[in-house]
Amino acid sequence: MGALPVYRWHLAPDGYATRRQLRARDLRPGGQGVAAQLERPRRRRGPLVAYLYRVEHAKPVRPMTPAKWAALAKANTARRTCPRCRTDAGYVIPPSLGMCVPCAYPEPADALRSA
């Protein structure tokens, strides 16, 4: 078992791509192992590493099934539903608040009486 070929940043030969580059071409690694790696040197820390895959061995991305679309819609609905008031906020609830903005910052009762 040999070591992986290592290329400097922006100097990889044609025929190699990262996962993101494969995905942009509607491809996936498809079970192949890492073929090479890129290294970008940094001054005070270790180098940044990006793994490369062979483009000719990549396979097409699997299409979304109706069940996957339904599961994704259900997950997004759960992210928009406030756990306190159980309403759809219309936006993804921030994890820092844990609830919709009106529930997190209710208007003071004094402001409602004076209006």
Side-chain angles (χ1 to χ4, degrees):
M1 182 171 147
L4 292 175
V6 178
Y7 301 104
R8 301 237 340 149
W9 209 251
H10 295 293
L11 296 178
D14 292 338
Y16 290 101
T18 63
R19 281 182 181 269
R20 285 187 180 193
Q21 291 168 338
L22 288 175
R23 186 61 188 211
R25 298 180 190 180
D26 289 331
L27 297 171
R28 61 186 169 95
Q32 66 173 306
V34 175
Q37 68 183 29
L38 285 177
E39 284 191 357
R40 178 178 171 211
R42 296 191 290 183
R43 290 177 187 239
R44 296 195 174 128
R45 292 182 277 171
L48 287 175
V49 175
Y51 297 110
L52 300 172
Y53 301 90
R54 298 292 306 180
V55 175
E56 67 262 11
H57 299 305
K59 295 180 180 175
V61 174
R62 294 184 189 113
M64 288 281 282
T65 64
K68 284 185 181 182
W69 282 113
L72 184 61
K74 187 176 178 181
N76 285 331
T77 301
R79 293 179 67 201
R80 289 190 314 265
T81 304
C82 176
R84 182 178 279 180
C85 65
R86 298 285 182 206
T87 59
D88 186 348
Y91 53 87
V92 175
I93 303 218
S96 59
L97 293 179
M99 60 189 79
C100 64
V101 174
C103 288
Y105 302 107
E107 298 206 18
D110 296 335
L112 294 175
R113 286 188 210 134
S114 63

